[in-house]
Amino acid sequence: MRRKKNLVVIGTAAAMAMSVLGAANVSASDSVTLSLYMNADDLAKPYIQKIISLYEEESGNKIDQQGLDRDSAENIALTKFTTGDIPDIYVHFGNSNLSNFNPIGNFVDFSDADWVSDIEDSILPQATYDNKIIGLPFWEASHSGCLYNKKIFEELNLAVPTTQQEFDNVCDTLLENDIQPIYIAAADSWPIAYQFALDPVMEEHPEYIEKLNNNEMKYADIPEFTDMVTWFQTAAEKGYFGQTFASDSWDYASEVLGTGEAAMMFCWDTWFDTDYDSESFDYIADDFGIMPIFMGTCDEGTYEGGNVNLFMANKNGERVEEATEFINFMADPDNYNKAFEGVSTAAVFKGQTTNVNSSQYEENKENVDKLIRASCSPKIVGYNGTEGGKALLQVMSGDISVEECIELIDKDRIATLESFAE
């Protein structure tokens, strides 16, 4: 019987202390106050507070931090934008919902900024809208791949797979030895994480995203999408996800991997720092490695870069010059390295050196860097990992066909896409 891991949530005050004194060489009359809207939980991150504090100390300006309630942040911000109440700085994940905020009309174009070339290649696409760089990615990141138990692999003389067929063969061998190959928290839907399978497809065919967003193509028209759904169906039938995947939840992930009940999981590397309790289980974090994800669409496998928040400057505001200077300040290597010192995260900037990379990434850096792709999900209008996961769960359970599954995922995406057009 799997025991549910107890979660302890440490509350953080929504209102953060702000710097009172400006830089010594700036008089109070010369200083300005910049308004900033951001999800309150995100705003509380130590590196966000650090970069704001550094800026206030050096510039003498102030940042009026307006933390928005997590569950309604986007709707609150959208209402304010609609009424013309646009902050000097707005922070938003660079997903398709950003189109609601008229990025080209409202935000500074940073395409010619010196720091653009310093952004990691797997991150930069998230800062791009209509071929313009509309904001600075400044956030925690990760390397998503297939986490695997190195000790189990060594005991069974299993080589790390480099092709889809080799991966499936590894799963077959694990099954033969009474070890569940992959833990997938299908009951929660989103951990099925089918976006990983689409990243290499959309990178190779960027026209797919354009056609999907223009309602000129459906998922059913993309052969690799069918390949992905078929792989999930076949993998479930073979037992790769165990017998209880339909009721398996995210809360059990640490225990199932930690006890060796399952050998692999599709996840991000920083999960070991944020969720995994090495002291409670047989296997510690360093007993795991990271290898490519194989989901039926890319023979060499893939890794995914992190999803990040964007800091954007209101180009129509009275303090556009200062807001732009703040973002350029954040992009300075000296400053972002001070902010991220000791933080467990993958690098967002090429010059980022003070962050702490995972041991999984450090051990397999060459392969990760070679095969990592930017996440395609922020670019697909209507992409919904939860609803798509529910449809995939049905096909994995044998309740619907591959074609019916694709139709369900398409239907949900198109409904959202058409709602944006209204």
Side-chain angles (χ1 to χ4, degrees):
M1 174 70 77
R2 295 171 183 165
R3 65 184 186 278
K4 185 172 181 178
K5 182 180 177 183
N6 292 325
L7 301 178
V8 178
V9 179
I10 302 176
T12 303
M16 305 300 298
M18 297 178 61
S19 196
V20 177
L21 298 176
N25 61 343
V26 179
S27 69
S29 60
D30 293 330
S31 67
V32 300
T33 297
L34 299 174
S35 58
L36 182 151
Y37 290 173
M38 188 176 184
N39 178 310
D41 292 349
D42 294 346
L43 184 59
K45 296 287 187 179
Y47 50 87
I48 300 296
Q49 289 304 305
K50 180 67 173 179
I51 198 69
I52 290 175
S53 177
L54 288 170
Y55 171 75
E56 290 182 334
E57 290 170 6
E58 182 165 319
S59 69
N61 295 332
K62 305 293 186 294
I63 302 294
D64 176 17
Q65 305 175 44
Q66 300 185 34
L68 308 180
D69 178 72
R70 181 178 186 85
D71 295 331
S72 55
E74 187 149 327
N75 288 335
I76 293 172
L78 189 57
T79 299
K80 289 178 176 292
F81 270 67
T82 301
T83 60
D85 183 11
I86 301 176
D88 298 307
I89 303 151
Y90 180 54
V91 186
H92 186 282
F93 275 98
N95 58 32
S96 59
N97 289 344
L98 188 58
S99 60
N100 292 328
F101 294 88
N102 186 17
I104 301 303
N106 286 326
F107 303 129
V108 169
D109 178 5
F110 286 101
S111 299
D112 295 328
D114 292 339
W115 50 256
V116 171
S117 61
D118 189 35
I119 305 299
E120 289 285 358
D121 294 342
S122 62
I123 298 294
L124 189 60
Q126 294 186 55
T128 306
Y129 188 93
D130 197 20
N131 297 317
K132 300 183 189 319
I133 306 300
I134 58 166
L136 175 74
F138 197 93
W139 195 238
E140 297 163 78
S142 59
H143 306 99
S144 291
C146 181
L147 307 180
Y148 72 100
N149 189 311
K150 294 186 294 185
K151 288 194 170 181
I152 290 177
F153 271 54
E154 291 169 2
E155 290 167 3
L156 299 178
N157 294 315
L158 292 172
V160 174
T162 59
T163 67
Q164 180 71 57
Q165 185 59 59
E166 290 178 2
F167 178 77
D168 291 346
N169 291 343
V170 164
C171 291
D172 292 336
T173 301
L174 289 165
L175 279 175
E176 292 168 3
N177 287 272
D178 299 321
I179 298 173
Q180 181 178 320
I182 308 164
Y183 184 72
I184 192 164
D188 295 319
S189 301
W190 65 264
I192 293 176
Y194 67 97
Q195 75 272 12
F196 296 152
L198 301 181
D199 291 338
V201 178
M202 298 306 175
E203 180 181 81
E204 183 176 356
H205 298 283
E207 72 275 10
Y208 286 175
I209 295 179
E210 182 178 358
K211 289 181 178 181
L212 288 168
N213 291 345
N214 289 332
N215 214 2
E216 298 170 353
M217 171 182 266
K218 294 183 177 181
Y219 284 144
D221 300 322
I222 301 175
E224 295 91 344
F225 202 96
T226 298
D227 293 339
M228 174 196 70
V229 178
T230 301
W231 180 81
F232 273 105
Q233 180 189 58
T234 303
E237 290 173 350
K238 288 183 176 181
Y240 289 178
F241 308 129
Q243 300 305 311
T244 62
F245 64 83
S247 59
D248 286 343
S249 74
W250 187 248
D251 293 330
Y252 295 122
S254 286
E255 181 177 345
V256 176
L257 262 69
T259 59
E261 181 179 339
M264 298 181 287
M265 182 172 72
F266 303 130
C267 191
W268 51 94
D269 59 347
T270 53
W271 175 78
F272 285 110
D273 295 304
T274 59
D275 291 65
Y276 191 71
D277 184 1
S278 288
E279 296 180 358
S280 299
F281 306 111
D282 301 327
Y283 297 100
I284 63 174
D286 286 345
D287 290 332
F288 293 87
I290 190 168
M291 66 183 186
I293 294 168
F294 297 94
M295 288 184 176
T297 63
C298 179
D299 193 54
E300 65 181 358
T302 187
Y303 302 91
E304 183 179 86
N307 291 306
V308 297
N309 260 318
L310 295 181
F311 280 70
M312 297 167 287
N314 175 8
K315 72 177 185 180
N316 304 310
E318 295 180 0
R319 292 169 291 276
V320 59
E321 181 178 349
E322 291 85 358
T324 300
E325 288 175 352
F326 170 62
I327 289 177
N328 288 333
F329 177 90
M330 297 175 71
D332 184 284
D334 287 340
N335 299 327
Y336 65 63
N337 273 311
K338 290 177 182 176
F340 281 101
E341 185 172 5
V343 176
S344 178
T345 175
V348 169
F349 303 94
K350 295 175 182 176
Q352 199 167 341
T353 59
T354 57
N355 60 296
V356 179
N357 284 315
S358 70
S359 63
Q360 289 73 30
Y361 171 69
E362 291 291 353
E363 288 179 358
N364 199 23
K365 183 179 186 300
E366 183 177 352
N367 188 248
V368 174
D369 291 347
K370 174 186 175 184
L371 299 178
I372 198 165
R373 275 95 172 185
S375 177
C376 68
S377 57
K379 299 295 183 182
I380 301 174
V381 178
Y383 175 87
N384 189 320
T386 298
E387 293 304 314
K390 290 178 181 178
L392 283 165
L393 175 56
Q394 291 185 66
V395 79
M396 291 158 63
S397 301
D399 298 330
I400 59 176
S401 67
V402 168
E403 293 75 20
E404 290 170 326
C405 175
I406 297 172
E407 185 177 359
L408 281 175
I409 301 175
D410 247 339
K411 183 178 180 181
D412 179 72
R413 176 187 63 82
I414 293 171
T416 302
L417 175 64
E418 292 179 344
S419 71
F420 280 177
E422 293 176 356

